[in-house]
Amino acid sequence: AKHTGKNKHVAYNSLNKLTSVNHIQMETELRQAILENELILYYQPRLELSTGNIICLEALVRWNHPRLGLIAPNDFIPLAEECGLILPLGEWVLREACLQKVRWLEAGILNYQIAVNISPCQFQDEHFSDKAIHIIEKTGIDPSYLEFEITESSIMQNMETTVAVLDKLCKIGISISIDDFGIGYSSLNYLKHFPIHCLKIDRSFVKNIHSNKDDLAITNAIIHLGHALNVQVVAEGVEELSQLAILKETTCTTIQGYLLSPPVSVFDIEQSFNQYNRP
Ligand code: C2E
Ligand code: CA
Ligand code: CA
Ligand code: CA
């Protein structure tokens, strides 16, 4: 993958706000963090509205920094993408999510799919699918438990390669969802060429669904597009009951958001969502 460095300022500024350490030092520390297991995965549940069941847990990475404490992904993923560390980081995330799923299977708990975020840099890496399949084989996870969340920008780069990669992943049983749907590209053409299982409506549309008629119209359109294409639609960032009520009316099938739960640690997800009963 090529890194143009066009996000340099964004990454640098957000890291600057976070800490006084400079860019190079942060990069060195992040490299160490991947090796020394300072990264951890939190999990956020996805709820199916028709049944009231949890159907999926999204793995979201955090950096447990020895001096700075827990660092949010938006404060180090851009840096990782810029300096190429996103490749080992992404592999760590996938391996850890697979291992966790295997642990849960062995314990007979939390029998849900696991969704893993795939950065565009990762997806464009020519070895991506081979590396992913290698990790899946090593960890022994049944790939049908896995969902890869990719963004529109990932798949619009090179359509031919994308079709080949997605077909390969799909064949072994991995589901594909389009993350942040609606904010990327206006072309919907790709939807008919690619094996996609799920559209995740970006939080920015869901946020004002109860007060802004344009956001409601867009959300509604995505939900109906999803039905027409026979794919799952997830509303992201659902925080309030008023939003949930509208989403039910618009026949949205699944939700994620603080209303149900923020992303939480393995310990907390085991406490709260094993044998989860309908709300
Ligand atoms: P995303 O994939 O769109 O993940 C959803 C983000 O929205 C998460 O932030 C989640 O905590 C937050 N969220 C969920 N429900 C609500 C809600 O009701 N209200 C609000 N205000 N926020 C909500 P988080 O965990 O900080 O992650 C931010 C972004 O960092 C992710 O956005 C994703 O793009 C990236 N990211 C996180 N983990 C990974 C990873 O393992 N690999 C890669 N490549 N990117 C990751
Ligand atoms: Ca995501
Ligand atoms: Ca998202
Ligand atoms: Ca996002």
Side-chain angles (χ1 to χ4, degrees), residues 58 60 117 149 151 178-181 183 200-203 236-237 256:
E58 179 178 358
L60 292 152
N117 290 283
E149 297 195 0
T151 57
I178 306 296
D179 207 352
D180 306 337
F181 188 78
I183 62 166
K200 300 193 77 176
I201 308 174
D202 192 67
R203 192 169 78 228
E236 290 195 291
Q256 260 180 259

Side-chain angles (χ1 to χ4, degrees), residues 41 44 58-62 72-74 77 86 89 93 117-119 122 149 179-180 203 236-239 256-259 263:
L41 293 183
Q44 186 181 39
E58 179 178 358
L60 292 152
V61 70
R62 276 92 181 89
N74 286 335
I77 295 281
I86 193 67
L89 189 155
V93 167
N117 290 283
I118 307 295
S119 149
Q122 249 182 302
E149 297 195 0
D179 207 352
D180 306 337
R203 192 169 78 228
E236 290 195 291
V238 180
E239 297 183 356
Q256 260 180 259
Y258 293 173
L259 179 65

Side-chain angles (χ1 to χ4, degrees), residues 41-46 54 56-58 100 104 109-110 112 261-276:
L41 293 183
Y42 271 35
Y43 293 89
Q44 186 181 39
R46 182 188 302 172
I54 306 283
C56 180
L57 301 175
E58 179 178 358
Q100 185 59 64
W104 281 330
I109 60 172
L110 296 161
Y112 314 125
S261 170
V264 294
S265 68
V266 166
F267 180 84
D268 286 343
I269 203 96
E270 288 175 355
Q271 296 298 305
S272 308
F273 290 100
N274 187 38
Q275 284 163 1
Y276 175 73

Side-chain angles (χ1 to χ4, degrees), residues 29-269:
E29 291 191 12
L30 183 55
R31 196 180 304 276
Q32 283 294 106
I34 298 166
L35 297 173
E36 289 174 10
N37 265 314
E38 286 173 24
L39 300 179
I40 47 171
L41 293 183
Y42 271 35
Y43 293 89
Q44 186 181 39
R46 182 188 302 172
L47 182 80
E48 183 176 58
L49 291 174
S50 63
T51 58
N53 292 332
I54 306 283
I55 53 168
C56 180
L57 301 175
E58 179 178 358
L60 292 152
V61 70
R62 276 92 181 89
W63 179 2
N64 196 359
H65 192 284
R67 291 191 321 279
L68 302 167
L70 219 55
I71 304 180
N74 286 335
D75 289 324
F76 63 91
I77 295 281
L79 169 69
E81 288 175 333
E82 186 192 317
C83 67
L85 281 175
I86 193 67
L87 297 183
L89 189 155
E91 285 177 49
W92 182 90
V93 167
L94 179 59
R95 185 177 304 108
E96 184 55 33
C98 290
L99 289 172
Q100 185 59 64
K101 177 63 202 176
V102 169
R103 277 178 229 130
W104 281 330
L105 274 169
E106 283 169 354
I109 60 172
L110 296 161
N111 190 23
Y112 314 125
Q113 273 207 304
I114 301 287
V116 176
N117 290 283
I118 307 295
S119 149
C121 311
Q122 249 182 302
F123 190 81
Q124 283 149 36
D125 173 30
E126 58 174 329
H127 303 297
F128 170 66
S129 54
D130 289 338
K131 283 180 183 168
I133 288 167
H134 180 73
I135 290 170
I136 288 164
E137 285 172 350
K138 279 272 177 196
T139 55
I141 192 186
D142 174 348
S144 62
Y145 284 118
L146 281 178
E147 177 178 296
F148 285 173
E149 297 195 0
I150 61 180
T151 57
E152 288 169 296
S153 61
S154 282
I155 58 184
M156 298 304 285
Q157 299 281 334
N158 180 341
M159 300 275 267
E160 267 169 47
T161 327
T162 298
V163 175
V165 171
L166 290 183
D167 278 345
K168 194 166 169 185
L169 297 174
C170 222
K171 265 204 193 88
I172 64 167
I174 296 173
S175 304
I176 304 293
S177 63
I178 306 296
D179 207 352
D180 306 337
F181 188 78
I183 62 166
Y185 285 76
S186 52
S187 165
L188 296 174
N189 189 42
Y190 71 87
L191 288 173
K192 66 179 190 203
H193 296 296
F194 300 145
I196 283 157
H197 302 88
C198 171
L199 303 177
K200 300 193 77 176
I201 308 174
D202 192 67
R203 192 169 78 228
S204 60
F205 300 117
V206 176
K207 195 168 178 234
N208 298 314
I209 194 180
H210 44 342
S211 56
N212 181 308
K213 66 175 170 39
D214 293 339
D215 287 335
L216 177 59
I218 291 167
T219 301
N220 224 331
I222 297 174
I223 290 166
H224 287 97
L225 177 66
H227 291 329
L229 295 170
N230 199 20
V231 300
Q232 187 184 106
V233 177
V234 186
E236 290 195 291
V238 180
E239 297 183 356
E240 293 170 30
L241 282 168
S242 57
Q243 294 166 326
L244 176 62
I246 293 170
L247 287 164
K248 279 182 172 163
E249 249 172 64
T250 56
T251 68
C252 182
T253 47
T254 51
I255 61 157
Q256 260 180 259
Y258 293 173
L259 179 65
L260 178 64
S261 170
V264 294
S265 68
V266 166
F267 180 84
D268 286 343
I269 203 96

